[in-house]
Amino acid sequence: MSARLNTATAPAAAPSSDVAVAAAGSDPCCAEPLPVLGRDVTVPLVTGGEVTYAALDYAASAPALQRVWDDVAAYAPYYGSVHRGAGYLSQLSTDLFENSRVTVADFLDCREGDQVVFTRSTTDSLNLLASALPADCRVFVFETEHHASLLPWGDARVTYLNAPRTHAEAVRTLEEALAGREPSPRSSSWGDPIAPALVCVTGASNVTGELWPVKELAEVAHAHGARIVLDAAQLAPHHAVSVRDLDVDWVAFSGHKLYAPFGSGVLAGRADWLQEAEPYLAGGGASRKVARRADGGVDVEWHTTPARHEAGSPNVIGVYSIASACKTLTEAGFENLVAREQHLVDRVLEGLATVPEVKVLSLFGDESPSRPARGTPTRVGVISFVVEGWNSSHFAAALSAEYGIGVRDGLFCAHPLVRTLLGSAPQDPGECGAPEAQPGEASLNAIRVSFGAGTPDEHVERFVGAVKELVREGAKWRYRTEDGRCVPAV
């Protein structure tokens, strides 16, 4: 087994040289970006020539950290079945899998007794939690959530809360909703004569990038006998997340947004609801003992460990990649990463502010300036906007085809939020546009630029310059709609 693999499987690996270089320097704003795959990829332009691709769609999927890729490549020859075999590779893979669980728990600052369950994604994690809700559980969720948080709750009684316009309004809205819960004939697990309740809230909006008052919302939830799950899909890649400090009951996130795009996710938090629920998937790995009954059926004893909800052969590569990303970000230092990202956020916002035709979308508005007192950021590297005179799909297509810049356009799997932010103001059709609108409804979509620890300053500067040039001079190429997408006309 290679020395690199020995180091990578340790619960606390020493910083690798690339991370140490990236984090060095007295001014974190000037630190180098963390090395990621694809940083040297070139793409063709419709106007001729090639340019280094500017990947500014981190909020959808972030590129793999070079360290993650190296760790996975070092482990790959040693891949084996987990919890299934006596052979050396199986035992090594099992150790790596379980050590990864410890690494993630440390990364999230979990409490003693919390469980880390490996899933496919944030969406899968929240659907797992939804399947484990106690009977009569009420769910409270703001309409501003990503669909992964908005839709999984199935047969539970869901209360959708209106979009708040300030942090204080968010806290007040939740307080009033929880206070208005009706009594239940049975006591909840908190000992109050009300039905159990769960609050689901994002840590950072996947549309505006704005941070939510998670700790204050958790305090309100617990004061009213409710529990809270944090959707950290957009928070964990940008800021340190402490389950203990935020006092949330569960946290969910995805590897592919945490620079580990290998198809794995995490649900971490309190064990009781998970242990009491039927397994999310029934099958091998979730069962401790299975026996035939005299009547021809089977009796099953399920695990009470995280394996209860991890039936089937697990995604060892995906799990290990998450652990590697957690180590890399921790070693780089979130203080440095946040400061550098804030520098990029400021540059984008300042650049867009000089273009009158650009409107940046914001939920909390002036209450959450880019850099408030004490220098505490109030948004991550996710910014959405619209451009007067342009359909957003057309603008995003021109950024890609003419400047080699990858952004996202649409409603970002947060349709209620984007529609609230855009209101009923129609967008100009431009030369083409994505047909998201219902019959008789204005076509609404926005542009989202997102970035993080691997983004070079040049990509942000190129983006700002491209926005200004497109608004001032227009597109250099003609575009058409093909299968609902705006593409360059041939």
Side-chain angles (χ1 to χ4, degrees):
M1 186 167 57
S2 70
R4 176 60 173 158
L5 184 58
N6 275 319
T7 299
T9 55
S16 63
S17 59
D18 53 3
V19 174
V21 170
S26 58
D27 184 0
C29 294
C30 299
E32 292 296 315
L34 297 185
V36 294
L37 294 185
R39 58 189 179 274
D40 298 323
V41 167
T42 59
V43 294
L45 303 180
V46 294
T47 52
E50 293 187 342
V51 67
T52 302
Y53 183 65
L56 297 179
D57 194 16
Y58 276 44
S61 282
L65 286 164
Q66 185 67 54
R67 163 78 174 273
V68 170
W69 185 260
D70 291 345
D71 282 349
V72 167
Y75 162 65
Y78 301 91
Y79 173 81
S81 61
V82 173
H83 305 144
R84 297 291 193 277
Y88 179 78
L89 298 191
S90 178
Q91 292 181 43
L92 184 149
S93 295
T94 298
D95 287 345
L96 179 144
F97 186 79
E98 293 303 331
N99 283 339
S100 295
R101 204 186 302 276
V102 174
T103 298
V104 172
D106 290 342
F107 178 75
L108 295 173
D109 190 24
C110 288
R111 300 158 296 233
E112 184 177 356
D114 283 348
Q115 289 189 346
V116 172
V117 180
F118 290 117
T119 66
R120 294 180 299 172
S121 60
T122 307
T123 302
D124 197 37
S125 296
L126 293 172
N127 275 272
L128 163 57
L129 184 59
S131 75
L133 295 180
D136 301 326
C137 187
R138 293 281 304 275
V139 176
F140 295 82
V141 56
F142 287 94
E143 67 172 351
T144 47
E145 293 291 312
H146 185 281
H147 294 171
S149 305
L150 199 67
L151 303 180
W153 309 111
D155 296 330
R157 291 183 296 164
V158 183
T159 298
Y160 296 103
L161 307 175
N162 292 335
R165 289 298 187 166
T166 65
H167 283 187
E169 184 181 347
V171 174
R172 183 172 62 253
T173 298
L174 181 61
E175 171 89 44
E176 292 172 353
L178 292 175
R181 288 154 63 202
E182 67 274 14
S184 171
R186 66 184 186 88
S187 294
S188 73
S189 57
W190 290 79
D192 297 321
I194 51 177
L198 178 70
V199 176
C200 182
V201 67
T202 188
S205 170
N206 78 303
V207 176
T208 68
E210 292 167 311
L211 298 172
W212 277 65
V214 176
K215 190 169 186 176
E216 291 83 353
L217 292 170
E219 183 178 352
V220 168
H222 292 157
H224 288 276
R227 298 192 181 188
I228 185 168
V229 57
L230 168 64
D231 175 354
Q234 300 295 341
L235 183 64
H238 304 274
H239 287 257
V241 175
S242 169
V243 169
R244 193 186 311 269
D245 181 59
L246 293 173
D247 198 22
V248 294
D249 298 281
W250 294 277
V251 61
F253 69 88
S254 295
H256 73 102
K257 298 184 191 298
L258 195 78
Y259 310 99
F262 294 89
S264 195
V266 168
L267 176 67
R270 301 196 182 279
D272 53 352
W273 285 8
L274 298 177
Q275 290 176 345
E276 294 164 7
E278 289 295 306
Y280 183 45
L281 296 174
S287 56
R288 187 199 303 265
K289 183 171 65 176
V290 180
R292 288 292 302 274
R293 296 196 306 262
D295 63 5
V298 294
D299 287 323
V300 183
E301 180 182 335
W302 302 107
H303 279 295
T304 57
T305 63
R308 183 184 188 90
H309 298 290
E310 294 176 346
S313 295
N315 179 1
V316 186
I317 294 289
V319 165
Y320 182 41
S321 69
I322 287 181
S324 175
C326 289
K327 290 177 183 177
T328 305
L329 295 175
T330 300
E331 291 167 6
F334 270 105
E335 182 177 353
N336 286 341
L337 297 176
V338 170
R340 185 177 183 280
E341 183 176 306
Q342 188 62 45
H343 163 70
L344 299 180
V345 169
D346 290 345
R347 179 66 192 99
V348 171
L349 291 176
E350 289 165 2
L352 295 181
T354 65
V355 186
E357 293 85 355
V358 169
K359 175 188 176 184
V360 173
L361 304 184
S362 173
L363 188 63
F364 300 132
D366 293 338
E367 186 195 73
S368 299
S370 175
R371 186 182 290 278
R374 292 186 173 183
T376 303
T378 59
R379 74 192 311 155
V380 299
V382 179
I383 299 167
S384 295
F385 62 98
V386 292
V387 183
E388 182 182 346
W390 289 79
N391 181 279
S392 294
S393 181
H394 183 197
F395 200 88
L399 285 173
S400 174
E402 300 178 27
Y403 298 91
I405 298 170
V407 297
R408 184 151 296 232
D409 65 277
L411 299 176
F412 318 125
C413 290
H415 294 188
L417 171 56
V418 178
R419 293 184 186 282
T420 294
L421 295 174
L422 293 179
S424 59
Q427 290 197 51
D428 294 277
E431 295 186 35
C432 59
E436 291 281 359
Q438 298 295 320
E441 186 180 55
S443 176
L444 300 176
N445 59 337
I447 307 153
R448 183 181 69 191
V449 56
S450 54
F451 41 86
T455 304
D457 284 40
E458 186 275 328
H459 290 184
V460 164
E461 295 298 336
R462 194 197 318 170
F463 165 77
V464 172
V467 170
K468 293 180 179 180
E469 190 170 284
L470 280 172
V471 172
R472 182 177 64 248
E473 301 178 10
K476 300 180 179 68
W477 206 262
R478 291 191 59 82
Y479 296 82
R480 61 186 176 84
T481 301
E482 181 179 295
D483 296 328
R485 296 295 308 164
C486 190
V487 298
V490 179

